[in-house]
Amino acid sequence: MILLRIALRNIAATKVRTLIIGLLITFGTMLVVVGGSLLSTLDRSMARSIIGSVSGHLQIYDSGARDALEFFSPPTGTPDLGQIADFPKVKAMLEALPEVDSVIPMGSDFAMVFSGNIMDVKIAELAQAIEKGDRERAKTLAEHVRKNIKLLQESLKGLDGFVNLDFNREEREEDLANLATAASDAFWADFLDAPAEKVVFLENKIARLAMDAKMLFLRYIGTDTEAFRKNFELFEVVKGQMIPPGKRGFLFSEFIYERQVKNQVAMRLDFIKENLDSGRKIKEDPKVASRIQQNMRQYKEILYQMDARQTEQLCARLREFLSVDEKEPEKLLEQFLDMNDENFSARYQFFYDEIAPLIVLYQVRIGDVLTIQSYTRSGSATAVNVPVYGTFRFRGMEKSALAGVYSLMDMMTYRDLYGYMSPDRRAENEALKAEKGVKYIPRSEAEDSMFGSDEGGEEAAPSADSEQGPTSEVAAPPAESGSERPSTALDEFADVDMSEGGQRYGAELLNRVYPQSEIDSGVVTNAAVRLADGVDLEVGRAAVEKVLKEAGLPLNVVDWRQASGLVGQFLGVVWIVLFSAILIIFLVALVIINNSMVMATLDRTREIGTMRAIGAQRSYVLKMFLIESTVLGVGFGILGTLLGSMLIVFLGRVGIPAVSDELYFLFAGSHLYPVLLPGHLITAFVVVFVVSLASTLYPARLAARIQPVKAMGKED
Amino acid sequence: MSDVVVLSNVSKEYPLGKLVVPALKEVSLSIGAGEFVSIAGPSGSGKTTLLNLVGCVDTPTSGAVIVDGLDTARLSERDLTRLRLEKLGFIFQSFNLIAVLDTFQNVEFPLLLQGKQSRKERREVVSELLERVGLDKHHHHRPNELSGGQRQRVAIARALVTRPRIVLADEPTANLDTGTGGAIIDLMKSINETQGTTFIFSTHDARVMKHADRVIRLEDGRIVSSGDIAPNGAAGSRPELSVQEGPAPYLAGE
């Protein structure tokens, strides 16, 4: 009691020292509490993001794999993960464990997809109108196509002045000649009376010259889509529908769909709206303003898609909306797109109400059959048709680019793209061989071999019930979109092994329902393991490793942190930084406390000598010093803990906003709500206690050794 | 009368660089219970050393120091500390109060070290003593709020609070003016008379010395005169005698 009193008095008596030590300790404990709570919360939210989206708690893959599994590292090519031998057995074995909830087969890869260009779309619409006998519509569309051909002709001629590519000069000259033909009056004069051949000509010779086709770079995960839907609780379908169980199908990541597949003008408007919604102003934010500028230059992108009637209709509406007399569609649209903070929301509404229905808003529509081009493990190019059923996202991470990086496809399609011979593919190849014999067609001759001289081959292709050439899809679109659009991208890649089998491949397979056994039994490169509720990650991991080891299966088991790649390791780095900062602060505190206590010992030599003379034992002096620094440490430790806790509770209320896409993913949503964990409070306390004790040991021993004689004699 | 302090052939040497400086040389001495003894002598004569040895805060190079029947050479440091706490009281030249404690707490401090008494008992003892030394209105003054004389009275109260057998005072009046010093010695003397506490104090002030029952004179580490042992209770009658310089002529007379 008296010791405490002495300690308190001494602390109060040396204000500057107390203040410095106090600040250090307060700051140090605050850092422990705040940093620890933030990181723990971040760890949880990241776990939620990563476990709940693609990785599951654990991932297993071939231990002989040449590459490590890293979901969220920048793509550097298809990682070689080997394959899980006898996946059905592994799955059965692991799912028998009480710790494991389910095992979901996976594989990730990337591919390029060329979305169709507007010419394709319009020609297809034209062909459709002709087929249905709708002459009126066909006439309008024909005019539109013709107008666009003229535009194309002009732009290609313009280009000619700049580039002089001798090596394909012939090809280019032929292209220009074809364009001239297609633009000529003669071509169109009797178009509607004898359209069939001309439509084929437009599709084969002209459409590919239009350069507004976009290349999409897609990363995707091939998986048992049904198991994926059931096990990743953050997964939800946004547009369209889920891939029906057992069927082939593709789901776009909503993020990619909205930002890459969407019409550029619309996409920019969305971007601006999002920014204005979060309080920014066009006037003040150059990033937003630049989008307005870009849109004003891109009016062609919209006009190009409209036929004369639609253009006229839109112009009338725009004149009314803008209350101007302008006649020129280009100028009208440019005026319309010149938006500012005041008129933005009205014009945004107008765009989606009046303009969007007239244009192709998404270059790949839900219900289209997408042709995905990829390189197999062996390096050969392959292409696969797969219907787009819709888009999906991970709940709470809608805005995260990282969460949206992967699109989803069924396991069978994935295997085809990855280049393993599925039974389907083998059967198809056999059938092809029997029918045609294997034939390698170099790219340069592909067009000819398909469309030019070899008309017979085309006719011979089975189930050619569409006039749109062998490259178009025939399967009924899965979503009832009603539009019989041609495959958007096939033309570019038809030269490989899709050449003749495409039709059969699409027609037959896209409607097939695969049994679970077939989904599981092919190649699986990696698999997600979802642990049962409440099972500790390490416990689950140990159980899984044990079973795999006992069965002698050479598989790597990694947790979600490792599996997520750089993102998961990011947190580890932050932990290290925090630890170092705390370590440094407390080391400094330790040195300063130690120093000031040694000084205090010297200052108080006479006082301590007096105490010793009066009858205080050494241990008493020792205690006096330890109590003094403990009071100092614990006192300011409590202050720091309190301040830190208050900060965390406050942040937990208001949330820390995710200011960038990366943070969005790490926070598993728009805000991070840090939670105060008792563990960190205890840690902070223990650290402070240990540091104050450790820093006083030496000075306290020094003090205890002061001889009582020091009290005697005159004061110095 | 039993002796509370006995020194036999006590020598004390201090190392000073490569030299050894003798502070006390073959000193033998005994002090009886209830004596009021002054140790006199010029600076460097060994007064403080003698007091330190008696006060068990220093150990002799040779010879035996026996305090209250205990040979200090045979006691551990822990036991010596205990001996100081239980049997001895200290009054310092520079008062040596604990700066961060107030008057009451300073006096209470040794009792807290002993830890024998209840809060209430301590309160009574301390209050009584403070009244006795005339500081009953200064319980909550900190040392720096007190005058020199007041501080020394706090120190006296502190030295007495454990009811020690012997109180040692090293130049208790050296830092005080003459009047205050006289008052302090009067206070010590009256306590000596009423409670029978043995006082041993060093001084080189003749006016202080005259209050002593006996004056032990030191020169160059040797006792040049060990004064007189007063007949029981008659101390008050001969203070003027002990003021005498040099070997006392009364030695033969007693």
Side-chain angles (χ1 to χ4, degrees), chain B residues 4-12 24 26-30 50 53-54 56 58-75:
Chain B
V4 287
V5 175
V6 177
L7 273 69
S8 53
N9 294 324
V10 171
S11 294
K12 178 70 184 175
L24 285 180
E26 304 278 316
V27 170
S28 293
L29 168 74
S30 57
L50 184 63
L53 291 174
V54 175
C56 303
D58 210 348
T59 48
T61 312
S62 65
V65 178
I66 291 153
V67 177
D68 200 30
L70 296 166
D71 184 352
T72 58
R74 296 188 178 183
L75 295 177

Side-chain angles (χ1 to χ4, degrees), chain A residues 192-301:
Chain A
L192 289 176
D193 301 318
E197 276 184 32
K198 286 182 173 167
V199 167
V200 172
F201 174 80
L202 289 175
E203 281 179 338
N204 296 345
K205 300 291 184 188
I206 303 299
R208 67 183 177 84
L209 299 177
M211 286 175 297
D212 66 323
K214 273 175 74 183
M215 191 183 81
L216 294 173
F217 181 80
L218 291 178
R219 292 180 83 179
Y220 53 81
I221 289 176
T223 183
D224 175 347
T225 48
E226 206 37 32
F228 193 93
R229 181 182 66 80
K230 282 184 195 146
N231 285 292
F232 291 103
E233 65 275 6
L234 298 179
F235 172 88
E236 64 184 9
V237 171
V238 185
K239 297 189 175 82
Q241 59 176 89
M242 184 62 197
I243 303 166
K247 285 182 94 170
R248 285 171 179 261
F250 188 87
L251 289 179
F252 265 105
S253 143
E254 170 75 6
F255 188 88
I256 298 286
Y257 196 65
E258 282 295 317
R259 304 215 180 186
Q260 293 189 20
V261 184
K262 202 171 189 176
N263 173 283
Q264 303 249 348
V265 174
M267 201 170 71
R268 286 189 204 106
L269 289 177
D270 290 344
F271 176 88
I272 296 164
K273 182 170 196 306
E274 200 177 288
N275 275 277
L276 296 190
D277 284 349
S278 61
R280 294 190 186 87
K281 293 264 180 279
I282 297 173
K283 237 182 293 175
E284 294 156 10
D285 196 321
K287 251 167 75 186
V288 181
S290 76
R291 296 300 201 287
I292 299 271
Q293 296 302 318
Q294 286 168 1
N295 266 358
M296 285 169 64
R297 289 196 295 270
Q298 297 275 323
Y299 57 83
K300 271 188 194 153
E301 209 174 299

